Amino acid sequence: MRAVVLHAAGDLRVENHAPPGEDATAIRVRIDAGGICGSDLHYYQHGGFGTIRVRQPIVLGHEVAGTILSASKTSGFAAGDRVAVSPSRPCGHCTYCDRGLKNHCENMRFYGSAMPMPHIQGAFQDEIVALPEQCFKIAPDVPTEIAAFAEPLAVVLHGRRRAGSLKGRRVLVTGCGPIGALAVLAARDDGAEEVVVTDVIDAVLETALGLGADTAINAGVNSDWAETYSAGKGAFDVMFEASGNELALRAGMTTLRPRGVLVQLGLGGDVSIPQNVIVTKELDVRGTFRFHEEFGEAVDALNTGRIDVAPLLTQRFPVTDVVEAFRQAADRRTSMKVQLDFTT
């Protein structure tokens, strides 16, 4: 079968691998669609991110959906069922799993992760074997390419949970890549009164407006945008920082109201933050890492059509064109979410 394997920064290959071994307790899934994530791009472009480095060949990919080829009679699934597959496989018995913090599992096996050694192989393969608890059925009218958005949507839904209720609140989203765009959808879904977005690329700002943002600001052109929203001690109750950019973070924090909440979704390098603003406004700064139960919630939102992610899917490429797919995914001016099509 085909597998998308990264050997080093810039060295991405489609290789022939043996199909996964038989496992009586697991489910064999034929992958149909796989979305290219920001972490996949970091691995490809830089060989890792932060202190995490690719130290051996690794199959990339963790945003996937497909069709079940075989399943045990006790699994609750059958051949032909279409499923979104959660890449998260916590151990269930470590300190953090026992505390209900499964996204912080000490023995996590998350698809396509170079954190541990040996690396955890990813899901950009023709077939994978998953546990029943990783699989979530897709509604008959939901295409697998839409179901493959369950993973990034789960990331945002976990971030939304960290923020608290957004009903009737004013929300700022800085950075309008796929995660920021999904944050707009999630905020609207939770009843936000107003959503304002910032970025430096007009094309993604236009997409955010189409998703329900009230106002879109090009922070590269309007460098003083935060001054307007900082008046009267701030305009926003909640900020989702999805760019990982220090300038966006610092500017956005000045626009938060006293006791506002900052949820950091974006990843970047170490940054400095305005400590006095945090103290004098009594701001809550909250990290958010992966997800657990939110994956099922994301699939439900996609199945019911409550959250429509279709406008975010810009391009699909056959697996054989994976290098071009990654090149296009890295071009924020032309692409929002790029997927690999394993059915061709």
Side-chain angles (χ1 to χ4, degrees), residues 2-247:
R2 299 167 300 177
V4 175
V5 183
L6 182 73
H7 287 258
D11 185 1
L12 189 62
R13 312 175 195 176
V14 178
E15 300 179 349
N16 290 320
H17 282 197
E22 296 294 333
D23 186 334
T25 64
I27 295 173
R28 185 182 293 269
V29 181
R30 184 194 73 218
I31 298 301
D32 295 335
I36 298 172
C37 176
S39 62
D40 295 321
L41 285 173
H42 275 291
Y43 284 139
Y44 174 62
Q45 294 174 324
H46 310 294
F49 52 90
T51 60
I52 301 166
R53 299 287 103 186
V54 173
R55 291 163 285 170
Q56 62 179 189
I58 180 173
V59 177
L60 296 180
H62 54 266
E63 300 180 8
V64 295
T67 305
I68 291 179
L69 297 174
S70 63
S72 68
K73 293 181 179 179
T74 60
S75 68
F77 296 91
D81 287 344
R82 298 178 318 122
V83 293
V85 183
S86 172
S88 180
R89 191 183 289 191
C91 71
H93 54 73
C94 69
T95 299
Y96 294 100
C97 285
D98 286 343
R99 293 178 180 175
L101 300 174
K102 291 188 176 181
N103 59 315
H104 292 286
C105 173
E106 294 176 291
N107 308 301
M108 174 66 76
R109 297 186 63 79
F110 195 96
Y111 289 162
S113 173
M115 287 185 182
M117 189 69 183
H119 299 336
I120 309 302
Q121 299 303 307
F124 282 172
Q125 309 183 61
D126 282 323
E127 296 179 22
I128 63 170
V129 169
L131 298 177
E133 55 265 34
Q134 291 177 264
C135 298
F136 295 79
K137 290 182 182 179
I138 304 168
D141 60 340
V142 175
T144 49
E145 59 265 30
I146 296 301
F149 276 87
E151 195 277 344
L153 180 55
V155 169
V156 170
L157 293 183
H158 182 67
R160 188 177 76 179
R161 177 164 286 160
R162 295 282 294 137
S165 174
L166 302 181
K167 185 174 178 59
R169 309 191 83 183
R170 300 185 72 189
V171 175
L172 171 68
V173 178
T174 52
C176 291
I179 294 297
L182 287 168
V184 172
L185 288 170
R188 281 301 183 207
D189 176 63
D190 203 38
E193 176 185 317
E194 181 183 9
V195 180
V196 175
V197 298
T198 70
D199 203 288
V200 295
I201 297 175
D202 286 334
V204 298
L205 290 168
E206 286 297 322
T207 298
L209 287 172
L211 296 173
D214 295 286
T215 305
I217 301 167
N218 188 318
V221 175
N222 303 293
S223 58
D224 59 349
W225 70 270
E227 293 181 13
T228 299
Y229 291 98
S230 300
K233 289 198 172 185
F236 299 109
D237 303 294
V238 176
M239 172 183 173
F240 291 104
E241 206 304 291
S243 72
N245 180 279
E246 181 176 333
L247 292 177

Side-chain angles (χ1 to χ4, degrees), residues 249-262:
L249 173 65
R250 294 176 67 90
M253 290 177 71
T254 67
T255 71
L256 281 172
R257 291 169 171 167
R259 298 195 178 181
V261 176
L262 162 65

